Amino acid sequence: MWCLRAKTLGCDGFSGRIENGKVYGRGAIDNKGAAVMQLAAVIRAGRLAQKDDLPFNVTFLAVSCEETQCGTGAAYVIKNYLEILNPATVIGEGPTDTFTPFIPGEFKNHIFGVSLAHKRTMWLNLTLAVETDGHGSVTPLSYANKDMVKALESVVTKKQKLYFNDINTGILKTFGEHKKGIEKLVLSHPKFFKPLLAGKLRAQPELFSIFSNTITLTNISSSPGAHNQIAPKIVATLDCRLLPDVDEQVFIEKLRRLLTTTI
């Protein structure tokens, strides 16, 4: 039987081990470039304040988790220290330079990304239990690990649908205002040129994620046992990110049908 349920995961990191001068662990490379630039800006502001008093305070705040699912990190600061900090302007981690490879060339003005909406996070546990005799010497026609692998292959290899909504098409149209010729035409009318844009969008996962729901297989665990014992149950974790206007129940039902028709 399949069991689909949302799971709220904790924010514990991985080992953070250091090998050959590199750190391996959760968050080791996540947006560190922007954080360093922000720190450099704060240091620069501090040096300016040594000459002339600034009309405001500048605070650099590094937290363990900025996700809305976490009770620590940014959420903890907002709950306990927002009035003390009393910020007039907050600069977050901000967007990466996602569009440069997709829309090459120089722009006459600086471009800063502004968040108009957020994709919703939905973490799912897929649990599959299949009763077998339990011994690997005779391979049964159906067993948990085998059936889960078949089902997951259909999920992770399926091309996600490309969605154009007012928000993400607005991004392309805004960039189109800074271009000329055919580039301006295509970016100014993204829905009409959707077949032309689709390939370029899919080629860049970070950019494509703005135009689609995503499903990422992040973990698989099976029942512990001897090396020749067939596990009666297996659990897989999917990290799903949904566009703002996508119905969660409809998404889950489509995923359920995909899983059950595979095995």
Side-chain angles (χ1 to χ4, degrees):
M1 62 177 179
W2 281 104
C3 176
L4 230 68
R5 68 178 179 87
K7 179 183 180 183
T8 302
L9 298 179
C11 295
D12 294 336
F14 297 116
S15 63
R17 72 181 187 276
I18 300 176
E19 292 184 7
N20 300 323
K22 297 180 180 180
V23 179
Y24 293 85
R26 181 174 182 174
I29 61 172
D30 181 15
N31 206 55
K32 296 303 182 286
V36 172
M37 287 188 288
Q38 290 174 351
L39 177 59
V42 172
I43 294 174
R44 173 64 175 166
R47 290 172 179 171
L48 291 175
Q50 292 177 355
K51 300 178 181 178
D52 299 299
D53 288 339
L54 300 177
F56 46 78
N57 292 326
V58 179
T59 302
F60 180 82
L61 181 64
V63 298
S64 60
C65 183
E66 84 287 358
E67 304 287 354
T68 57
Q69 296 83 6
C70 297
T72 57
Y76 182 84
V77 173
I78 292 173
K79 181 179 179 181
N80 296 279
Y81 297 101
L82 185 60
E83 292 185 3
I84 297 175
L85 293 172
N86 190 29
T89 302
V90 177
I91 302 176
E93 62 180 21
T96 57
D97 190 14
T98 304
F99 285 92
T100 300
F102 180 63
I103 308 174
E106 297 182 359
F107 295 91
K108 59 183 179 181
N109 297 316
H110 294 292
I111 297 177
F112 295 90
V114 177
S115 178
L116 301 177
H118 285 277
K119 294 180 74 174
R120 286 165 294 146
T121 302
M122 182 168 63
W123 291 324
L124 298 175
N125 265 356
L126 309 182
T127 302
L128 179 60
V130 178
E131 292 186 5
T132 67
D133 291 337
H135 202 286
S137 60
V138 178
T139 306
L141 297 177
S142 175
Y143 59 99
N145 287 351
K146 172 186 174 182
D147 294 347
M148 176 66 84
V149 169
K150 289 172 56 180
L152 290 176
E153 182 182 17
S154 67
V155 172
V156 299
T157 59
K158 180 179 177 59
K159 282 188 175 182
Q160 291 300 311
K161 183 178 179 180
L162 186 70
Y163 290 95
F164 275 3
N165 55 37
D166 292 341
I167 296 175
N168 54 32
T169 55
I171 295 174
L172 297 179
K173 290 179 180 179
T174 299
F175 276 87
E177 296 175 1
H178 298 267
K179 307 302 289 185
K180 297 179 180 179
I182 187 65
E183 289 181 330
K184 180 180 181 67
L185 178 64
V186 172
L187 293 173
S188 300
H189 303 84
K191 292 183 179 180
F192 182 80
F193 291 99
K194 184 176 180 179
L196 179 61
L197 290 170
K200 291 183 175 296
L201 292 172
R202 290 186 183 277
Q204 300 183 61
E206 287 190 1
L207 185 57
F208 183 68
S209 65
I210 303 175
F211 298 85
S212 71
N213 302 312
T214 58
I215 303 176
T216 305
L217 174 63
T218 55
N219 186 47
I220 300 177
S221 59
S222 190
S223 305
H227 66 276
N228 62 346
Q229 178 181 348
I230 300 176
K233 184 173 72 173
I234 183 172
V235 179
T237 302
L238 300 179
D239 185 335
C240 307
R241 308 294 172 111
L242 309 184
L243 293 169
D245 54 351
V246 173
D247 185 285
E248 293 183 1
Q249 293 306 314
V250 173
F251 178 84
I252 289 178
E253 186 55 36
K254 288 182 179 180
L255 180 60
R256 190 191 301 276
R257 287 199 300 269
L258 179 62
L259 290 166
T260 53
T261 55
T262 304
I263 58 175

